[in-house]
Every structure is written in C-alpha cells, then in structure tokens.
Amino acid sequence: MNCAVAIQYLPMDAVSDEETCRVVDAVIAYIDSTGLDYYVGPFETTIEGSYDECMEVLKNCQLVGAQVGAGT
C-alpha cells in the first residue's frame, strides 16, 4: 500500500534559530538518504512510499533528531 506522510519536525528545546535549523537539516538529510520520494515545503516535509517505509522513516526521524542533540 502506498502512502504520503507529512512530517513537521520542530525541536522544542532549541535555544536559537540556528540550533533549530541544524537539527531540522539533519532530519532532512536522513530523509534524503532513504531514497524515498520527498518534497521539502515551507512548513513540512512530505515523503512518499509504502506504508511500512514511511512509518520506518517517521520513527527514525525522531531518533536522528535525538542523536544530533534535540531533547538533550
């Protein structure tokens, strides 16, 4: 089953706009690395793929954000 998922990743604990951009850029770089079709819009990034692929990417976006410092 194919689907599209819109993701808005906003680290709520970022202390500056630069920090927010750094974390969001890392999450978008991860999405790019998956090979799925995606579109970065002004408020969200949309990914397209199978349901299982999209859910795996969604889960990993949280992990990537944490790895680069969001929530610490």
Side-chain angles (χ1 to χ4, degrees):
M1 169 180 16
N2 288 329
C3 70
V5 175
I7 302 167
Q8 185 182 55
Y9 192 93
L10 295 173
M12 302 303 289
D13 59 340
V15 296
S16 67
D17 288 344
E18 292 80 16
E19 178 68 8
T20 298
C21 289
R22 184 185 68 77
V23 173
V24 170
D25 286 347
V27 172
I28 292 171
Y30 161 70
I31 292 169
D32 182 57
S33 76
T34 67
L36 292 180
D37 289 333
Y38 70 97
Y39 169 76
V40 178
F43 298 106
E44 62 194 18
T45 299
T46 304
I47 58 174
E48 297 178 352
S50 73
Y51 176 83
D52 289 338
E53 290 172 323
C54 288
M55 293 302 109
E56 184 71 16
V57 169
L58 181 61
K59 177 183 78 172
N60 288 333
C61 285
Q62 292 289 83
L63 298 174
V64 168
Q67 287 172 348
V68 298
T72 59

